[in-house]
Amino acid sequence: DEEGDEEGDEEGDEEVDEEGDADEDITPSVGVPLGDDDDDDLFDDPGVPKIFSGCHDFNGTAGIPCPMGLTCVVRYDEKWSQCVDCSVHKFGRVCQKLDDYMRYAAVHSCSQTCVSTKCYNNNWCLSPYRCIIDPEEDWGQCVSCRSKKFWGNSCHSLGESFIDRAEKLCHRK
């Protein structure tokens, strides 16, 4: 008899989503706790965590090695570290989710600029990018002066004063 327990609160019951697939309890062997089951943005694919923490050697305590293909990024004060995917295809998405301190460290550990995020000076941007800062908008962003994508599309979402500064610094006016 299938009547009764629609809530699925009995131990061992699996929730079934709208497509009829059972949700699995996916827990990485190392790394950050997952939190809510709804926190799907921690995964590229089910069961493949994007970021692991604790990879740096703190005060003589051995860190957890990063899985193959990930790089250990260490915060400037060495109180936090995590493994980051520095591949060209993933870094742009991963870096945008990091806080300022970790994003800055990741830019330099991965030798890539994190575009479409805030920069504070040119140290945040690797060549050919430059940090264009607009004090009126309280915003800075790494811009490649030769980027067809930026000048053709991305710049339209930014304020007029930002575009004016970018055009001046990139000698486009």
Side-chain angles (χ1 to χ4, degrees):
D1 197 0
E2 293 184 26
E3 290 181 310
D5 187 30
E6 291 182 30
E7 298 296 318
D9 56 23
E10 285 187 27
E11 197 170 328
D13 284 352
E14 293 181 76
E15 285 188 33
V16 177
D17 64 18
E18 293 173 355
E19 295 164 356
D21 298 327
D23 289 338
E24 298 177 29
D25 179 25
I26 302 170
T27 306
S29 58
V30 297
V32 295
L34 299 180
D36 297 333
D37 290 337
D38 296 330
D39 211 359
D40 292 337
D41 63 344
L42 288 174
F43 299 92
D44 283 334
D45 298 309
V48 183
K50 292 179 187 174
I51 300 173
F52 294 90
S53 65
C55 55
H56 181 65
D57 180 3
F58 293 105
N59 300 325
T61 304
I64 300 167
C66 291
M68 186 189 258
L70 301 182
T71 300
C72 186
V73 174
V74 182
R75 188 178 144 133
Y76 78 97
D77 61 3
E78 297 190 350
K79 292 185 178 181
W80 178 259
S81 64
Q82 62 191 50
C83 302
V84 174
D85 189 335
C86 292
S87 68
V88 173
H89 300 292
K90 302 278 175 102
F91 183 75
R93 286 192 330 222
V94 171
C95 72
Q96 292 182 359
K97 296 177 182 182
L98 300 172
D99 70 17
D100 286 350
Y101 296 111
M102 288 304 293
R103 190 171 66 250
Y104 182 82
V107 163
H108 294 281
S109 295
C110 296
S111 299
Q112 295 187 60
T113 297
C114 188
V115 296
S116 300
T117 59
K118 189 171 186 174
C119 62
Y120 297 90
N121 57 46
N122 278 322
N123 293 329
W124 288 75
C125 310
L126 304 178
S127 181
Y129 293 90
R130 299 176 66 180
C131 184
I132 309 293
I133 298 173
D134 180 10
E136 289 181 35
E137 298 289 329
D138 189 32
W139 181 253
Q141 184 171 316
C142 297
V143 172
S144 172
C145 292
R146 292 186 222 133
S147 170
K148 291 178 183 175
K149 180 180 176 185
F150 175 78
W151 295 106
N153 300 316
S154 302
C155 72
H156 300 295
S157 65
L158 299 167
E160 187 177 328
S161 60
F162 182 91
I163 299 302
D164 289 344
R165 288 180 97 47
E167 287 176 340
K168 182 179 177 183
L169 288 170
C170 290
H171 308 289
R172 291 185 69 91
K173 265 194 168 182

